[in-house]
Amino acid sequence: MTAARLAVVGAGSMGAQIAMQAALHGVDVALQDVNAEQLERATSSNRGHLERRVEKGRMSRADADASLARVRTTNSLEEAAGDADFVIEAVFENLDVKRATFTELDRIAPKDAVLASNSSTMGISKLAGATSRPDRCVNMHFFFPVLVMDLVEIVRGPETSDETVDRALGMAREMGRTAVVLNKEIDGFIVNRILHAASQEAYRLLDAGVASYEDIDVAVEKGLNWPLGPFRLGDFSGLDVTYNARLHMYRTTGDERYRPSPQLEAKVKAGKLGRKTGEGWYIYEK
Ligand SMILES: NC(=O)c1ccc[n+]([C@@H]2O[C@H](COP(=O)([O-])OP(=O)(O)OC[C@H]3O[C@@H](n4cnc5c(N)ncnc54)[C@H](O)[C@@H]3O)[C@@H](O)[C@H]2O)c1
């Protein structure tokens, strides 16, 4: 089944580009946010991305204009989701905000519409219970920046139906994205779990004095063909994000494998968070 009408709720870093990616593939999208300025920022940022494609000759101006016109922005959830076949929620990563959004969406969206969440950490079972259609709720986890990153992780909750998984797969395909299906809810899904395990090993090697962080990065970049080694990648994502994810896992599981590296903790305590502060493992020009 294809979704002719997509609603994206939340026009932040993720929602804005999820909407744009779908529109680039011909899907009509309503992009909703409670914050009007955020909608303007989303539109102007998307316009900038497409402008660069036009300048590089990768897209015609007519296609860029038509794609931009396919994203309708609104503050009203009724207007965005009232006639949607498929909704992707990308609001703040806060359980109460997300549950309230799902309750509202359940009231507003047509009964057979799929409600998908882009949450990075909340399995859909935490949100589906706020609706009367848990079988039509699913995780669709996109990666930042959505206009560049090809993957979507579709995660089946305990009540998600096969039809909903198929519709999520269809939506991802329609948006020009490659999807994988997780048959069980699990913290970190697939990608962040594997990334976490690999980078945690890199920190162990550093803390044990086996090699410098620069050499570990070079080894991973040249030997595994990762575009960025774990320390450069940490600087890019923000070392506070890396640290807090480990701390969360360590506290919730008590498993020593997740204990954050003392050297990572020292960086965070010193406010050296990576690119965004000008220094993390490496030094960056402001
Ligand atoms: N940033 C990432 O790298 C990334 C990657 C994958 C998934 N995610 C997930 O995507 C979701 C959004 O993340 P983000 O980075 O885009 O956040 P963000 O803070 O950039 O954007 C969130 C947006 O939601 C809006 N919002 C808040 N409450 C709302 C409501 N009730 N109704 C409508 N809009 C509302 C805010 O105004 C804001 O524009 C989170 O669940 C996050 O876990 C983020």
Side-chain angles (χ1 to χ4, degrees):
M1 171 170 172
T2 58
R5 290 179 305 270
L6 171 67
V8 178
V9 181
S13 337
M14 295 301 289
Q17 291 202 9
I18 292 170
M20 193 68 253
Q21 177 63 26
L24 280 166
H25 286 260
V27 180
D28 283 323
V29 191
L31 175 61
Q32 188 268 355
D33 201 292
V34 285
N35 180 341
E37 279 172 25
Q38 192 65 36
L39 286 170
E40 279 167 29
R41 266 197 292 275
T43 305
S44 92
S45 152
N46 281 336
R47 187 173 296 119
H49 288 300
L50 298 205
E51 194 60 42
R52 279 189 286 284
R53 291 187 184 188
V54 172
E55 279 163 15
K56 287 182 184 160
R58 288 169 50 207
M59 189 176 203
S60 72
R61 181 158 303 281
D63 282 350
D65 289 345
S67 300
L68 283 165
R70 245 174 250 127
V71 182
R72 184 162 48 90
T73 58
T74 175
N75 285 135
S76 153
L77 201 58
E78 276 81 3
E79 202 183 312
D83 66 348
D85 303 305
F86 204 104
V87 182
I88 300 176
E89 167 278 311
V91 305
F92 293 141
E93 188 71 350
N94 173 295
L95 184 60
D96 292 337
V97 175
K98 284 197 191 286
R99 279 186 69 91
T101 304
F102 266 67
T103 301
E104 277 295 276
L105 283 170
D106 188 42
R107 184 178 64 77
I108 293 166
K111 279 293 156 226
D112 64 345
V114 170
L115 307 182
S117 173
N118 180 47
S119 174
S120 299
T121 62
M122 292 170 211
I124 200 65
S125 61
K126 295 204 169 73
L127 307 174
T131 75
S132 63
R133 60 179 98 186
D135 56 319
R136 283 192 286 284
C137 294
V138 67
N139 287 102
M140 271 182 95
H141 182 233
F142 290 81
F143 289 79
F144 182 78
V146 180
L147 289 172
V148 177
M149 298 291 286
D150 184 16
L151 185 69
V152 184
E153 292 174 316
I154 294 174
V155 189
R156 185 196 288 274
E159 296 182 81
T160 309
S161 69
D162 290 347
E163 191 206 335
T164 299
V165 171
D166 284 347
R167 286 173 68 186
L169 281 166
M171 187 71 239
R173 208 175 306 118
E174 206 174 335
M175 295 172 65
R177 287 287 166 258
T178 302
V180 294
V181 177
L182 279 77
N183 293 314
K184 287 183 182 173
E185 273 185 16
I186 182 166
D187 260 344
F189 307 146
I190 297 177
V191 170
N192 284 336
R193 264 187 108 87
I194 291 177
L195 175 64
H196 183 95
S199 61
Q200 196 64 349
E201 188 59 28
Y203 276 110
R204 258 195 293 273
L205 294 174
L206 178 76
D207 288 337
V210 172
S212 66
Y213 63 85
E214 293 99 325
D215 275 2
I216 298 172
D217 271 352
V218 170
V220 170
E221 287 161 16
K222 304 288 178 192
L224 290 174
N225 250 345
W226 286 24
L228 299 177
F231 298 99
R232 245 185 281 279
L233 184 62
D235 275 2
F236 184 76
S237 322
L239 295 181
D240 50 337
V241 176
T242 310
Y243 175 73
N244 288 329
R246 280 164 174 69
L247 201 59
H248 168 78
M249 290 296 282
Y250 178 56
R251 285 187 178 149
T252 50
T253 63
D255 188 332
E256 278 300 317
R257 279 181 308 162
Y258 296 117
R259 186 194 280 278
S261 144
Q263 293 192 64
L264 172 62
E265 188 169 75
K267 288 277 178 206
V268 173
K269 292 206 163 136
K272 295 178 179 172
L273 306 182
R275 281 178 182 273
K276 61 186 171 188
T277 59
E279 184 176 348
W281 292 105
Y282 299 88
I283 293 173
Y284 303 89
E285 284 175 22
K286 288 273 185 212

